[in-house]
Amino acid sequence: MQNNKVVLIVIDALRFDTACTHMGFLHHLVERQVAARYKVCSEVPSLSRPLYETILTGTPPIVHGVTSNMTVRLSKGQSIFHIAKEHGLTTAASAYYWVSELYNRAPFNHMEDRLQLDTHLPIDNGMFYFEDHYPDSHVFADAAWLMAQKQPDFLYIHPMNVDDDGHKFTADSAQYRNRVLAMDALLSLFIPKCMALGYEVIVTADHGMTRDGDHGGTTHEDRHVPLFVISDAVKAGIKEGIISQLQVAPLCCHLLNIKPAEDMVPLLLEGVFTAKEV
């Protein structure tokens, strides 16, 4: 089995229930047996920077040590970026600047680090934004440029507007729900492009958003997020039960056909085929 190409899309603060009611395109893919849908319970604290590290290293905050949004340093773990590079694969990211601070350079220099192209760092090619209201449409346009010009094997995409509107207006608002609708519309343009180029696609979130317009706690609103997988290596359809967020990193490694890091948990997702079965 050859290495596959994978796009991992982490939609900041996308609640599971809102994804189920407001993401028509993704659920079209589920209904047509193109995508699988899982319910994920995030690690705690349900904060952004700790959970970026959890998603990309497959380890909980007590292990990776990024326990707060104020923990500004490079990752000390083996992220998917690191492992992909060790296997000779290329990496890219269109993401919030905290991702650069975790894997390329910390602290982020706003005047120098926005574009990081042809580096020999864990993220070979990065386009990083630093305003929470930076348009999601631009994040995906940046990602499309990276796909066309750099052809990465692993591409990480991280839009922020759902989180931004959640903080401004709360999760129980028309603005938050309409932003999720807008995200689904962007995905309806971007995901077919990925599929046409032979990418496996994963869509998930770091954490949810509460009716108070925040996150960080232990409620379902804080922690329950979706996981959509578009891959011939994963059986399509809606999966019952709740899975751990620690499954995302080994799933990425499985789809990339690379050996996961020793600190990652075994991949135990329902419906995942072995390399031989694929």
Side-chain angles (χ1 to χ4, degrees):
M1 180 178 175
Q2 294 180 338
N3 293 115
N4 293 322
K5 294 188 173 188
V6 171
V7 173
L8 172 59
I9 303 170
V10 177
I11 302 169
D12 210 286
L14 176 62
R15 285 169 48 145
F16 178 79
D17 56 355
T18 312
C20 290
T21 56
H22 285 69
M23 303 199 91
F25 171 71
L26 282 178
H27 282 88
H28 167 67
L29 297 181
V30 174
E31 289 183 3
R32 303 313 301 173
Q33 296 295 299
V34 175
R37 191 196 80 191
Y38 300 84
K39 179 189 284 189
V40 172
C41 185
S42 81
E43 289 293 308
V44 284
S46 50
L47 297 170
S48 295
R49 198 188 296 253
L51 297 184
Y52 303 162
E53 178 77 332
T54 287
I55 289 169
L56 285 160
T57 66
T59 58
I62 195 64
V63 172
H64 60 60
V66 182
T67 56
S68 164
N69 284 341
M70 295 179 287
T71 307
V72 180
R73 61 162 173 77
L74 288 172
S75 170
K76 298 179 181 178
Q78 281 292 98
S79 73
I80 302 168
F81 295 117
H82 293 91
I83 302 166
K85 292 292 291 291
E86 288 176 359
H87 285 79
L89 304 183
T90 56
T91 62
S94 174
Y96 195 55
Y97 75 102
W98 287 1
V99 176
S100 174
E101 288 185 324
L102 281 168
Y103 306 109
N104 274 15
R105 288 196 285 261
F108 185 85
N109 185 314
H110 290 65
M111 295 297 103
E112 297 179 6
D113 292 344
R114 161 103 170 94
L115 302 178
Q116 299 177 38
L117 303 178
D118 301 315
T119 76
H120 295 288
L121 299 168
I123 303 173
D124 289 308
N125 292 283
M127 303 180 77
F128 300 103
Y129 62 96
F130 43 83
E131 300 286 358
D132 291 15
H133 57 271
Y134 184 75
D136 289 346
S137 58
H138 292 36
V139 175
F140 282 97
D142 292 343
W145 186 91
L146 288 167
M147 290 178 68
Q149 299 300 317
K150 302 300 181 180
Q151 297 91 43
D153 297 298
F154 177 63
L155 173 60
Y156 178 86
I157 305 172
H158 171 231
M160 183 66 79
N161 292 169
V162 173
D163 181 81
D164 191 38
D165 278 357
H167 285 303
K168 290 175 178 174
F169 306 108
T170 83
D172 190 19
S173 68
Q175 291 90 341
Y176 178 83
R177 292 187 291 270
N178 287 336
R179 183 62 67 185
V180 175
L181 286 172
M183 172 55 61
D184 187 68
L186 284 172
L187 293 174
S188 74
L189 297 175
F190 189 77
I191 287 177
K193 177 181 179 66
C194 297
M195 296 171 66
L197 293 173
Y199 280 88
E200 318 279 306
V201 181
I202 299 172
V203 181
T204 189
D206 49 352
H207 52 72
M209 179 65 64
T210 71
R211 288 169 289 180
D212 296 330
D214 216 335
H215 52 86
T218 63
T219 70
H220 292 175
E221 293 177 320
D222 289 281
R223 300 185 70 184
H224 285 182
V225 300
L227 172 65
F228 297 92
V229 185
I230 303 165
S231 170
D232 290 339
V234 179
K235 183 176 176 59
I238 294 174
K239 313 302 180 184
E240 300 299 327
I242 301 175
I243 66 169
S244 167
Q245 195 170 48
L246 301 180
Q247 289 287 298
V248 177
L251 172 63
C252 288
C253 292
H254 179 75
L255 298 185
L256 286 166
N257 195 30
I258 58 178
K259 184 178 179 180
E262 291 183 1
D263 287 342
M264 292 180 185
V265 299
L267 180 59
L268 299 173
L269 284 185
E270 174 193 351
V272 175
F273 303 130
T274 66
K276 185 176 181 180
E277 289 172 324
V278 175

